[in-house]
């Protein structure tokens, strides 16, 4: 379980630009559950991910992942427990390295190594079998630099790399937003296949209400750092979610 307890974060405190994003925010995420996070721009979605991953530090509160207190760890050490896939297909890979080099580095996550020793002892057959699970033919492009792959191929590779060493938590930060609709659908289907196969606890930021209903087990909405609703998607339609989403935003604007 991921347990966020009374989390507070204010940027630029004591200045004209002071911005309190979270004030004693709490949320529990259960294992083997994919939770979609919705909300307008500036609602706190990305800040929440950055607080969980350790990219920024909370002012108060705690973040517990299984039996690990993440609040005691820096970003590098948290990465041992957390996998991330970002919006930009190039963020989760090393574009100037080959597919094989990227995969072998990902397989050594959390271990100390040098690239020279890593490539000397690489296991190509294992990497080939892992790449075959994507059904994109990347196992035939082992020596191709990743920068020459398509956006969909890079994002698929990034997704696979983020989950090779099974993380306790997978963070998906609008990971299909930069892709065309057809490729986005393919990536989402591959995402769900990986999540279900590895039984990973997943948080997914998305602006797609369709993806939230179709692929997530649970959907929550943030606005001004507050939890606006928390629903199971099993009996929820896209139209019902859309109506609730915009009704919540309109009510928020009236009370602002």
């Amino acid at each position: 379980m991921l347990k966020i307890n009374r989390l507070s974060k204010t940027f630029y405190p004591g200045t004209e630009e002071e911005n309190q994003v979270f004030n004693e925010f709490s949320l529990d995420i259960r294992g083997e559950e994919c939770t979609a996070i919705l909300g307008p721009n500036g609602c706190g979605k990305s800040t929440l991910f950055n607080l969980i991953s350790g990219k920024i530090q909370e002012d108060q509160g705690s973040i517990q992942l299984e039996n690990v207190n993440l609040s005691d760890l820096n970003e590098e050490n948290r990465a041992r427990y957390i996998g991330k896939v970002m919006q930009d297909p190039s963020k989760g890979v090393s574009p100037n390295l080959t597919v094989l080099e990227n995969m072998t580095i990902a397989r050594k996550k959390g271990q100390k190594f040098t690239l020279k020793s890593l490539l000397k002892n690489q296991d190509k057959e294992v990497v080939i079998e892992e790449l075959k699970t994507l059904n994109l033919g990347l196992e035939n492009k082992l020596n191709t630099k990743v920068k020459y792959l398509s956006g969909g191929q890079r994002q698929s590779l990034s997704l696979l790399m983020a989950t090779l060493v099974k993380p306790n938590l997978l963070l998906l930060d609008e990971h299909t937003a930069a892709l065309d609709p057809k490729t986005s659908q393919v990536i989402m289907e591959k995402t769900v296949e990986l999540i279900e196969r590895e039984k990973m606890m997943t948080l997914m930021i998305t602006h797609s209400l369709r993806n939230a209903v179709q692929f997530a087990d649970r959907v929550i909405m943030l606005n001004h750092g507050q939890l606006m609703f928390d629903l199971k998607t099993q009996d929820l339609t896209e139209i019902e979610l859309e109506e609730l989403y915009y009704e919540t935003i309109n009510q928020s604007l009236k009370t602002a």
Side-chain angles (χ1 to χ4, degrees):
M1 173 180 283
L2 174 69
K3 189 172 184 64
I4 299 169
N5 187 42
R6 303 183 72 176
L7 195 69
S8 295
K9 181 62 183 180
T10 298
F11 293 97
Y12 315 116
T15 71
E16 293 181 356
E17 289 76 31
E18 180 173 311
N19 178 22
Q20 184 182 65
V21 181
F22 290 108
N23 182 24
E24 296 195 347
F25 175 80
S26 295
L27 178 68
D28 290 347
I29 303 295
R30 292 171 285 278
E32 299 184 20
E33 181 178 70
C34 179
T35 300
I37 304 179
L38 306 176
N41 291 334
C43 72
K45 302 185 301 293
S46 293
T47 298
L48 180 61
F49 269 31
N50 288 335
L51 286 166
I52 293 171
S53 67
K55 188 172 184 178
I56 59 178
Q57 193 68 33
E58 66 272 14
D59 298 328
Q60 294 180 1
S62 64
I63 305 173
Q64 187 88 14
L65 180 58
E66 306 298 351
N67 61 346
V68 178
N69 186 2
L70 295 181
S71 299
D72 291 337
L73 304 178
N74 60 23
E75 183 178 12
E76 181 180 358
N77 287 324
R78 292 190 198 195
R80 296 164 53 193
Y81 308 98
I82 299 172
K84 293 189 296 182
V85 184
M86 312 302 288
Q87 180 176 336
D88 185 343
S90 296
K91 291 289 187 180
V93 294
S94 297
N96 288 316
L97 297 182
T98 67
V99 171
L100 180 57
E101 289 167 340
N102 271 272
M103 284 289 289
T104 50
I105 289 173
R107 293 182 70 239
K108 294 295 184 180
K109 181 179 179 180
Q111 302 178 36
K112 292 184 177 180
F113 61 87
T114 63
L115 186 58
K116 182 177 180 180
S117 65
L118 179 67
L119 297 178
K120 183 178 180 180
N121 298 301
Q122 60 190 303
D123 189 341
K124 289 186 180 181
E125 294 304 316
V126 174
V127 170
I128 287 172
E129 292 305 311
E130 289 164 341
L131 288 169
K132 282 182 178 179
T133 64
L134 294 176
N135 296 315
L136 292 174
L138 290 179
E139 66 275 11
N140 300 317
K141 298 179 179 290
L142 293 181
N143 296 315
T144 300
K145 287 189 176 181
V146 171
K147 64 182 179 182
Y148 297 123
L149 301 179
S150 69
Q153 288 174 322
R154 288 198 301 273
Q155 198 66 314
S156 296
L157 181 62
S158 178
L159 179 64
L160 180 59
M161 289 169 57
T163 56
L164 276 180
V165 179
K166 182 181 174 181
N168 298 77
L169 173 66
L170 177 63
L171 300 178
L172 304 174
D173 192 355
E174 296 188 69
H175 72 304
T176 64
L179 306 173
D180 64 82
K182 183 178 179 180
T183 305
S184 174
Q185 180 71 14
V186 171
I187 297 299
M188 279 306 311
E189 290 172 355
K190 294 186 180 302
T191 299
V192 172
E193 288 175 9
L194 273 170
I195 291 172
E196 292 181 346
R197 184 170 72 239
E198 300 297 335
K199 302 186 184 303
M200 286 181 291
M201 177 167 42
T202 305
L203 279 175
M204 176 178 71
I205 293 176
T206 181
H207 283 289
S208 170
L209 303 183
R210 176 172 297 178
N211 283 349
V213 170
Q214 184 177 357
F215 297 109
D217 303 300
R218 175 185 177 192
V219 57
I220 66 175
M221 178 182 176
L222 297 180
N223 201 14
H224 303 299
Q226 297 182 2
L227 185 63
M228 307 306 292
F229 61 71
D230 183 349
L231 301 167
K232 292 288 188 181
T233 60
Q234 185 175 4
D235 301 313
L236 188 66
T237 67
E238 182 183 350
I239 293 176
E240 289 171 337
L241 179 59
E242 182 177 12
E243 291 175 348
L244 179 59
Y245 180 81
Y246 288 108
E247 179 183 344
T248 303
I249 289 179
N250 289 333
Q251 287 178 349
S252 177
L253 290 173
K254 290 177 182 179
T255 58

